[in-house]
């Protein structure tokens, strides 16, 4: 039981919206394999050293899951006196936002998760990650140029 508790610390339960999944440890960071309807893919884990690659991969994954627009642009809040059609659209947008947030939560290491844990939307979480990692990448480039 103690071993399971230790394992659970690094590999939390996977919630995948009906997608069967398996977890394993990769060469540098934990990675998760998702078996989708048509193919299996490995979800990247942001570990603080791989922002550019992670960002490219996540954009492709979020696009494939049809949620990238929600992550980049957000979605409008529900106006007072909204019609049934507006309520239905808002509900669908919120569902897509939750799907994106779940993917973001699963694709970051513990320090990055703690940064985005209180974000209310996937756009807010993405912006936090972008802001925190863009500066680190610029610093890395400057250090490489001075060598």
């Amino acid at each position: 039981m103690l071993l399971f508790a230790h394992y659970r610390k690094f590999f939390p339960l996977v919630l995948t919206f009906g997608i069967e999944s398996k977890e394993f440890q990769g060469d540098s960071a934990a990675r998760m394999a998702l078996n989708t309807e048509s193919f299996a893919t490995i979800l990247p884990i942001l570990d603080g050293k791989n922002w550019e690659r992670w960002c490219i991969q996540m954009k492709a994954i979020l696009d494939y899951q049809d949620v990238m627009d929600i992550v980049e642009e957000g979605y409008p809040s529900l106006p007072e006196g909204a019609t049934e059609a507006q309520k239905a659209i808002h509900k669908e947008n919120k569902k897509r936002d939750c799907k994106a947030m779940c993917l973001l939560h699963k694709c970051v290491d513990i320090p990055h998760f703690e940064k985005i844990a209180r974000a209310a939307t996937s756009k807010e979480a993405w912006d936090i990650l972008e802001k925190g990692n863009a500066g680190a990448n610029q610093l890395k480039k400057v250090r490489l140029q001075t060598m």
Side-chain angles (χ1 to χ4, degrees):
M1 187 64 163
L2 180 60
L3 179 63
F4 180 72
H6 179 73
Y7 176 79
R8 299 289 301 140
K9 178 180 175 184
F10 296 103
F11 300 100
L13 180 63
V14 179
L15 301 175
T16 57
F17 305 101
I19 298 172
E20 183 181 325
S21 66
K22 297 177 183 175
E23 296 177 348
F24 65 94
Q25 186 168 358
D27 37 19
S28 66
R31 299 187 185 273
M32 176 175 52
L34 275 184
N35 293 321
T36 62
E37 296 165 7
S38 58
F39 66 93
T41 186
I42 296 175
L43 293 179
I45 304 297
L46 178 62
D47 63 8
K49 300 176 213 156
N50 61 344
W51 168 253
E52 288 181 25
R53 181 182 174 100
W54 181 88
C55 189
I56 291 166
Q57 291 174 322
M58 285 305 296
K59 284 181 179 181
I61 291 166
L62 293 167
D63 239 354
Y64 176 77
Q65 294 295 326
D66 195 30
V67 295
M68 190 64 209
D69 60 322
I70 295 288
V71 172
E72 288 181 328
E73 302 164 16
Y75 62 97
S77 58
L78 191 62
E80 284 191 36
T83 64
E84 289 302 314
Q86 289 173 318
K87 288 178 185 179
I89 291 170
H90 184 267
K91 183 177 180 178
E92 181 62 29
N93 284 337
K94 187 170 181 167
K95 186 176 182 179
R96 291 174 61 221
D97 185 65
C98 288
K99 184 177 185 179
M101 186 68 95
C102 184
L103 282 168
L104 290 174
H105 283 173
K106 296 305 294 175
C107 292
V108 296
D109 62 7
I110 293 171
H112 285 93
F113 174 79
E114 290 172 358
K115 291 177 184 177
I116 64 170
R118 288 186 171 72
T121 65
S122 60
K123 179 180 179 12
E124 185 181 348
W126 185 266
D127 290 346
I128 290 167
L129 292 171
E130 205 167 40
K131 185 177 178 183
N133 287 285
N137 275 346
Q138 286 177 338
L139 180 62
K140 183 177 166 183
K141 286 179 184 176
V142 168
R143 284 184 183 163
L144 289 173
Q145 288 174 353
T146 59
M147 294 180 136

